């Protein structure tokens, strides 16, 4: 039986380790503060932000959400970010992506004070990551490293293949694995013979955004698979095909109108991998946990505690 890399358990561990640190800050300084900018009405973003706010409440982190309208301009968002940068009680600033189309998202992210960039996406923090210097790391990639390490998966000396080169997942996770002494190959939509490259992997990270694209032919027996994909299936035929007519999944589809699947075929991975992160319940829970960790660390730096 493959080892299941249990993101819920690791999230709970991380959050319980943060609790005394938040309590110490609240007792000797002030509670950590996170400001979230949620521009417009993107349904997915609204759910993510709600979950982030709830996680803050559970931990005792003070949170506030700014909700500019869909029509917000780049200049207006730059003004909001500048105000948040100037407020000492705001330790972390998160600008929820995607931003409305007319906004220059990279300018807005680059305007966040690097010390408050709890999403780890500011160019300075990407530079810190590449150079192996301290600084907030992007949350999902940092969560992936926690998932591997806390399950005792060896990284040093292993061949890691990362499929996907986004700024949010693929690139930062590749650098984090490199710093842990893996031999890293980064793949993307122009990689030739992707399946053959993936079969070289001891650790395979799929961050593609294509439902169940990584099938058995991409997996060498004994591989560790991290499935970052979060793809919502709205088509019954696709649910039936990917989940091999599973009565449970079809029932879930009838009930909810959609089913979540990762970038990796859920049956093939269970057959071939030595260890894998399921979807849901693998990488997903860790993103918010690492956001909380980055916010607490920013507050501790602000308090002069580290
Ligand atoms: P993204 O920005 O769309 O990047 C996708 C990457 O996959 C790109 O680098 C793209 O290559 C590559 N790709 C697309 N089709 C490919 C193919 N046929 N063969 C090889 N590579 C291919 O996506 P993302 O933001 O990194 O997210 C990836 C997935 O992770 C999505 O399902 C997303 O929902 C999920 N995600 C989950 C979490 C979480 O908390 N669990 C967080 C973030 C993202 P090119 O660069 O050549 O176009």
């Amino acid at each position: 039986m493959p080892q299941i890399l249990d993101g819920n358990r690791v999230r709970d561990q991380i959050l319980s380790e943060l609790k005394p640190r938040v309590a110490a800050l609240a007792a000797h300084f002030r509670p950590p503060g996170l400001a979230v900018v949620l521009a417009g009405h993107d349904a997915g973003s609204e759910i993510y932000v709600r979950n982030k706010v709830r996680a803050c409440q559970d931990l005792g982190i003070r949170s506030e959400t700014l909700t500019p309208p869909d029509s917000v301009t780049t200049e207006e968002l730059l003004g909001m970010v500048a105000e948040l940068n100037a407020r000492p009680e705001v330790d972390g600033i998160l600008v929820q992506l995607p931003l409305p189309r007319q906004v220059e998202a990279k300018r807005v992210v680059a305007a966040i004070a690097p010390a408050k960039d709890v999403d780890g996406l500011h160019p300075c923090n990407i530079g810190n990551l590449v150079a192996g210097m301290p600084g907030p790391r992007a949350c999902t990639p940092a969560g992936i490293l926690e998932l591997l390490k806390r399950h005792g998966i060896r990284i040093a000396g292993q061949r890691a293949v990362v499929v996907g080169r986004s700024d949010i997942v693929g690139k930062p996770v590749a650098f984090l694995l490199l710093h842990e002494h893996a031999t890293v190959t980064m793949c993307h939509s122009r990689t030739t013979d992707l399946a053959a490259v993936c079969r070289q992997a001891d650790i395979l990270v799929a961050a593609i955004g294509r439902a169940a694209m990584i099938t058995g032919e991409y997996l060498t027996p004994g591989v560790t698979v991290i499935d970052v994909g979060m793809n919502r299936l709205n088509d019954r035929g696709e649910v039936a095909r990917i989940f091999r007519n599973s009565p449970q999944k079809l029932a879930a589809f009838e009930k909810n109108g959609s089913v979540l699947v990762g970038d990796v075929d859920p049956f093939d991975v269970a057959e071939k991998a030595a260890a894998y992160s399921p979807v849901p319940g693998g990488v997903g829970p860790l993103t918010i946990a690492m956001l909380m960790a980055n916010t607490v660390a920013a507050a501790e730096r602000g308090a002069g505690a580290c």
Side-chain angles (χ1 to χ4, degrees):
M1 285 292 283
Q3 181 183 11
I4 302 294
L5 305 178
D6 182 349
N8 290 318
R9 186 168 64 78
V10 172
R11 172 202 55 202
D12 291 347
Q13 280 173 3
I14 292 169
L15 294 178
S16 70
E17 290 162 12
L18 290 175
K19 272 199 170 145
R21 291 168 59 189
V22 173
L25 281 163
H28 303 296
F29 181 54
R30 55 163 172 73
L34 174 67
V36 180
V37 180
L38 172 62
H41 290 288
D42 178 273
S45 296
E46 283 172 357
I47 295 171
Y48 288 136
V49 168
R50 210 176 306 138
N51 291 338
K52 287 168 186 174
V53 168
R54 194 173 307 142
C56 285
Q57 283 165 351
D58 291 347
L59 265 185
I61 292 176
R62 200 186 54 76
S63 74
E64 61 187 280
T65 308
L66 286 72
T67 54
D70 269 312
S71 57
V72 70
T73 64
T74 302
E75 298 306 322
E76 285 165 340
L77 281 175
L78 290 174
M80 271 182 192
V81 167
E83 274 179 35
L84 294 171
N85 283 342
R87 282 174 49 198
E89 78 283 12
V90 173
D91 299 296
I93 302 169
L94 182 146
V95 176
Q96 184 67 41
L97 302 174
L99 287 170
R101 197 171 303 175
Q102 73 279 7
V103 174
E104 293 169 75
K106 289 203 176 196
R107 268 183 76 197
V108 175
V109 170
I112 298 171
K116 296 190 178 192
D117 164 42
V118 283
D119 238 357
L121 299 180
H122 189 286
C124 282
N125 288 323
I126 293 174
N128 285 331
L129 165 66
V130 174
M133 308 270 287
R137 303 298 193 225
C139 298
T140 302
I144 291 169
L145 266 285
E146 291 293 334
L147 193 62
L148 290 168
K149 287 181 176 180
R150 290 178 189 242
H151 282 90
I153 304 289
R154 190 157 68 90
I155 303 175
Q158 301 292 92
R159 283 163 303 183
V161 174
V162 178
V163 189
R165 56 176 165 182
S166 71
D167 293 343
I168 294 177
V169 188
K171 281 180 204 160
V173 81
F175 277 102
L176 288 173
L177 289 165
L178 185 64
H179 290 317
E180 295 293 331
H181 313 295
T183 301
V184 182
T185 304
M186 226 192 281
C187 303
H188 45 78
S189 63
R190 309 281 183 94
T191 299
T192 46
D193 203 353
L194 181 64
V197 181
C198 289
R199 284 196 300 270
Q200 304 279 312
D202 300 307
I203 298 171
L204 178 66
V205 180
I208 311 163
R210 300 204 173 221
M213 190 191 104
I214 302 294
T215 52
E217 66 165 318
Y218 294 71
L219 305 172
T220 203
V223 63
T224 293
V225 178
I226 299 291
D227 189 352
V228 190
M230 302 251 273
N231 309 292
R232 207 152 268 295
L233 300 177
N234 300 306
D235 178 77
R236 191 180 188 283
E238 217 181 353
V239 175
R241 179 182 64 77
I242 290 176
F243 288 101
R244 323 292 204 263
N245 291 311
S246 151
Q248 291 94 329
K249 287 290 174 184
L250 287 169
F253 176 78
E254 305 302 348
K255 185 169 168 230
N256 305 320
S258 69
V259 166
L260 199 63
V261 71
D263 289 340
V264 182
D265 184 289
F267 288 82
D268 290 357
V269 74
E271 200 179 300
K272 286 201 154 176
Y276 71 96
S277 66
V279 177
V283 174
L286 292 166
T287 300
I288 292 182
M290 298 317 293
L291 174 68
M292 299 298 111
N294 281 347
T295 304
V296 173
E300 287 172 340
R301 281 195 302 275
C306 64

